[in-house]
């Protein structure tokens, strides 16, 4: 079967779309892949906090002042994020923007943010201050900042899949910086080992027409005085989350939902995270800092770690 793939940089990461098809010509497939790339670059342009002309930057500048007219996609992803914030009791909260910015600066300067600044930034975190009204979005408190880093890749991966489906492509694989969607025949994917270098899997997972989204503390972090500070923050403490988890991978239909939830669950930890997954009827793999691995019942015969022990949860 012919395989054609394309990799491009957007949303702060490398994105790959691979198509396996025997009916369309190489030119036709390449055209579809180009269309996907254009769409994802468009999302980058709308969602990025690093672009002054993005819709999110405009919302942030208008916080406490006025509503901003946005694209259907921006209001859609924000709406989903608000739902996930509610259901995770704020463990996932896209109004963490100013706190995230503080920690990005800390990483660049290799020092911790000062507590005063952290307190100020934490006081600005509250997803209930997001106002959605048709195609208008606003933040009711001055200084508040949205950051879609915890959900944008999932949203984009779903959109890429939709384009492939619309074109009648039956076999494909999408990997947007660790946010994976596989469709067509069953596929095996590697689940990153949080304690090994990038690319070394802890085990393999069999999936069929599903998305798999992973959040972990091992990809993006800095070290200071022997302590590791990673990029997923607990809005309640202002610090990188410290729930005992080193990595969590979730499977389901909607990458957008899984993306927000994997960030939420990573903050919430094993027990409350499992409860949240249960509410959403989703399955997951939890890897603890202690080295223990837990899987939900639906993945028990799909996740394989070789000889290593896997604990069934529940
Ligand atoms: P990755 O982007 O590394 O694949 P995640 O999906 O877990 O992993 O998203 C991490 C990103 O989410 C961070 O870089 C940041 O932009 C954002 N983020 C971090 N903590 C939170 C949080 N508690 N709520 C919402 N977004 C967060
Ligand atoms: Mg996420």
């Amino acid at each position: 079967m012919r395989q054609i793939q394309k990799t491009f940089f957007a949303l702060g990461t490398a994105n790959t779309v691979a198509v396996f098809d025997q009916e369309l010509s190489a030119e036709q497939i390449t055209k579809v892949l180009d269309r996907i790339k254009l769409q994802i670059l468009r999302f980058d342009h709308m969602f990025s906090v690093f672009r002054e002309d993005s819709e999110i930057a405009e919302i942030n500048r208008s916080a406490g002042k006025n509503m901003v007219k946005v694209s259907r996609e921006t209001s859609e992803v924000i709406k989903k994020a608000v739902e996930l914030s509610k259901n995770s009791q704020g463990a996932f909260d896209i109004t963490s923007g100013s706190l995230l910015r503080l920690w990005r600066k800390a990483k660049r300067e290799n020092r911790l943010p000062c507590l005063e600044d952290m307190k100020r930034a934490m006081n600005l975190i509250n997803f209930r201050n997001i106002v959605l009204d048709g195609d208008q979005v606003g933040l009711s408190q001055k200084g508040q900042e949205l950051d879609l880093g915890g959900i944008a890749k999932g949203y984009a991966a779903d959109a890429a899949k939709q384009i492939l489906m619309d074109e009648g492509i039956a076999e494909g694989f999408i990997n947007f910086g660790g946010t994976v969607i596989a469709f067509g025949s069953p596929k095996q994917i590697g689940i990153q080992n949080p304690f090994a270098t990038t690319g070394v899997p802890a085990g393999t997972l069999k999936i069929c027409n599903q998305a798999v989204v992973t959040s972990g503390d091992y990809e993006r972090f800095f070290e200071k005085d022997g302590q590791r500070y990673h990029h997923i923050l607990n809005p309640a403490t202002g610090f990188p989350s410290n729930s005992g988890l080193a990595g969590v991978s979730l499977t389901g239909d909607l990458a957008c939902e899984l993306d927000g939830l994997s960030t939420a669950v990573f903050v919430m930890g094993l027990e409350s995270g499992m409860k949240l997954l249960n509410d959403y009827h989703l399955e997951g793999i939890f890897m603890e800092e202690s080295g223990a691995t837990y899987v939900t019942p639906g993945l028990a015969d799909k996740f394989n770690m070789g000889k290593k022990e896997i604990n069934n949860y529940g």
Side-chain angles (χ1 to χ4, degrees), residues 91-104:
F92 177 76
D93 193 323
I94 56 166
T95 61
S96 303
S98 39
L99 186 68
L100 285 162
R101 194 161 44 75
L102 216 55
W103 279 96
R104 278 197 299 269

Side-chain angles (χ1 to χ4, degrees), residues 173-224:
F173 188 81
I174 295 162
N175 184 349
F176 288 0
T179 291
V180 168
I181 299 181
F183 67 100
S185 56
K187 296 182 178 52
Q188 296 258 19
I189 68 158
I191 299 294
Q192 174 66 36
N193 180 346
F195 311 107
T197 45
T198 305
V200 177
T204 56
L205 181 67
K206 213 187 284 167
I207 53 167
C208 187
N209 285 323
Q210 267 179 320
V212 183
V213 180
T214 300
S215 283
D217 63 7
Y218 45 83
E219 287 279 355
R220 290 194 273 149
F221 60 85
F222 71 101
E223 269 165 332
K224 179 80 186 156

Side-chain angles (χ1 to χ4, degrees), residues 164-178:
L164 293 177
M165 304 285 268
D166 290 347
E167 298 294 335
I169 289 166
E171 287 278 340
F173 188 81
I174 295 162
N175 184 349
F176 288 0

Side-chain angles (χ1 to χ4, degrees), residues 91-93 100 147 149-150 153 214-215 220 231-233 235 259 263:
F92 177 76
D93 193 323
L100 285 162
D147 184 312
K153 277 185 287 176
T214 300
S215 283
R220 290 194 273 149
H231 73 307
I232 299 178
L233 303 180
D259 196 356
T263 307

Side-chain angles (χ1 to χ4, degrees), residues 60-288:
N60 292 348
R61 272 194 302 273
S62 312
K65 291 186 272 184
N66 55 286
M67 303 277 283
V68 175
K69 187 172 180 299
V70 296
S71 59
R72 177 182 57 81
E73 290 93 339
T74 296
S75 81
E76 205 170 80
V77 70
I78 292 175
K79 201 167 165 193
K80 187 68 187 174
V82 171
E83 175 213 302
L84 299 174
S85 300
K86 263 187 206 141
N87 293 335
S88 68
Q89 275 85 44
F92 177 76
D93 193 323
I94 56 166
T95 61
S96 303
S98 39
L99 186 68
L100 285 162
R101 194 161 44 75
L102 216 55
W103 279 96
R104 278 197 299 269
K105 184 162 178 267
K107 181 180 179 182
R108 279 197 307 274
E109 298 173 357
N110 198 42
R111 51 155 193 86
L112 296 193
C114 82
L115 288 176
E116 272 303 300
D117 290 348
M118 276 176 59
K119 232 183 247 161
R120 212 172 303 131
M122 282 168 72
N123 281 332
L124 294 169
I125 302 177
N126 190 349
F127 64 87
R128 294 172 197 86
N129 292 347
I130 300 173
V131 187
L132 280 155
D133 183 7
D135 61 357
Q136 308 232 33
V137 181
L139 290 164
S140 63
Q141 206 181 331
K142 196 164 177 278
Q144 275 187 318
E145 292 177 36
L146 296 181
D147 184 312
L148 297 182
I151 193 168
K153 277 185 287 176
Y155 184 82
D158 288 331
K161 180 187 170 187
Q162 192 57 51
I163 294 176
L164 293 177
M165 304 285 268
D166 290 347
E167 298 294 335
I169 289 166
E171 287 278 340
F173 188 81
I174 295 162
N175 184 349
F176 288 0
T179 291
V180 168
I181 299 181
F183 67 100
S185 56
K187 296 182 178 52
Q188 296 258 19
I189 68 158
I191 299 294
Q192 174 66 36
N193 180 346
F195 311 107
T197 45
T198 305
V200 177
T204 56
L205 181 67
K206 213 187 284 167
I207 53 167
C208 187
N209 285 323
Q210 267 179 320
V212 183
V213 180
T214 300
S215 283
D217 63 7
Y218 45 83
E219 287 279 355
R220 290 194 273 149
F221 60 85
F222 71 101
E223 269 165 332
K224 179 80 186 156
D225 302 328
Q227 182 78 29
R228 178 185 277 210
Y229 298 94
H230 63 83
H231 73 307
I232 299 178
L233 303 180
N234 182 346
T237 64
F239 279 88
S241 76
N242 185 20
S243 67
L245 291 174
V248 50
S249 297
L250 307 182
T251 67
D253 293 331
L254 261 185
C256 173
E257 180 171 280
L258 297 171
D259 196 356
L261 284 177
S262 72
T263 307
V265 162
F266 191 80
V267 171
M268 295 163 79
L270 181 66
E271 227 164 281
S272 338
M274 281 286 185
K275 279 201 194 103
L276 184 60
L277 271 200
N278 205 35
D279 294 345
Y280 272 89
H281 304 291
L282 296 171
E283 306 286 340
I285 302 164
F286 291 67
M287 296 186 195
E288 290 193 311

